[in-house]
Amino acid sequence: MKRVCTNWNQAFPKGRMGLEFFPEFEMRAKNAAAEVIRVKTLAEAKNAIVNLIKHSGAKKVVAVECPLQRAANIHQAIQELGTELHSTPADIAANAATADIGISGVEFGVAETGSVCLDAYSIESRLVSTLPPIHVVFMNSNNIVPDIAAAFEIFSQVFERGYISLITGPSRTADIERVLTIGVHGPSRFVIIAVDEEITGGES
């Protein structure tokens, strides 16, 4: 899969103090209508996505796998529910428009705005994050920067090519008679599963 950066972790060395920014990040993300689920362990992260799929009644899921998902065996858990899962580039392209949930991994959060950074170089990442009505992202809860300036400092360190998205809450528009409407141009629900447990090695 194409990525802007092959290892975002280089911008977040061990011993980082991103957790101190999490309360502000959570508050601002929720103010933007995002749902934030913070869990301590990978096992709890798996339970969170399983419960979300059950409660939403989702029948079809498209997912771009990330290291957190792999470590928590998220795809296996989805398949064990009997839910239709598509995770290859070709399958995502064919099924994203009719999927109930899209699942991604994001690189970090921004406390100032409650936004998350998505490496969106690959077309499947963009499809998963824009076409299904529910977009769920997995994020390391330690990977929080204080503000947009810090986010762009990271971009300056790691950006090689491609596309980066900063996502703040579900899709919204007010261009028709200035009436705010959620979910017209993208997902109507945006769920952030923030995981405290670290995984070792690999890309972020």
Side-chain angles (χ1 to χ4, degrees):
M1 185 183 74
K2 291 183 177 180
R3 288 176 61 82
V4 166
C5 174
T6 56
N7 185 10
W8 285 85
N9 274 335
Q10 64 188 298
F12 294 94
K14 293 297 181 182
R16 57 187 177 268
M17 298 298 293
L19 280 176
E20 68 179 289
F21 304 119
F22 192 89
E24 181 182 2
F25 166 79
E26 181 176 26
M27 175 192 70
R28 294 190 183 279
K30 288 181 175 180
N31 286 346
E35 301 169 43
V36 182
I37 303 171
R38 183 177 176 185
V39 297
K40 292 183 178 180
T41 67
L42 293 166
E44 291 174 348
K46 180 167 66 175
N47 289 337
I49 190 66
V50 165
N51 288 334
L52 192 152
I53 290 171
K54 287 179 177 178
H55 293 156
S56 68
K59 303 300 182 185
K60 183 191 290 189
V61 173
V62 288
V64 173
E65 194 173 54
C66 69
L68 278 172
Q69 291 177 49
R70 283 195 292 273
N73 294 316
I74 297 301
H75 288 197
Q76 179 182 343
I78 294 171
Q79 291 170 329
E80 288 174 353
L81 286 173
T83 303
E84 186 179 335
L85 173 66
H86 300 279
S87 58
T88 66
D91 282 349
I92 289 171
N95 290 278
T98 55
D100 301 302
I101 295 178
I103 302 176
S104 308
V106 292
E107 314 309 329
F108 62 88
V110 183
E112 180 181 42
T113 59
S115 308
V116 296
C117 169
L118 173 70
D119 187 323
Y121 192 5
S122 72
I123 183 64
E124 54 267 28
S125 292
R126 282 172 268 159
L127 293 173
V128 163
S129 64
T130 56
L131 294 186
I134 303 173
H135 183 207
V136 181
V137 300
F138 285 83
M139 181 186 75
N140 186 319
S141 55
N142 292 285
N143 289 11
I144 308 287
V145 297
D147 50 37
I148 291 292
F152 274 84
E153 177 61 30
I154 290 175
F155 298 156
S156 72
Q157 295 173 33
V158 306
F159 187 85
E160 297 169 3
R161 62 200 178 282
Y163 308 94
I164 293 172
S165 295
L166 287 172
I167 303 172
T168 310
S171 170
R172 63 189 65 216
T173 183
D175 59 357
I176 300 174
E177 298 184 356
R178 287 179 279 183
V179 176
L180 181 64
T181 306
I182 302 294
V184 173
H185 302 304
S188 58
R189 287 183 66 187
F190 181 54
V191 183
I192 302 165
I193 300 178
V195 186
D196 290 353
E197 183 177 344
E198 297 271 6
I199 57 174
T200 58
E203 63 192 28
S204 70

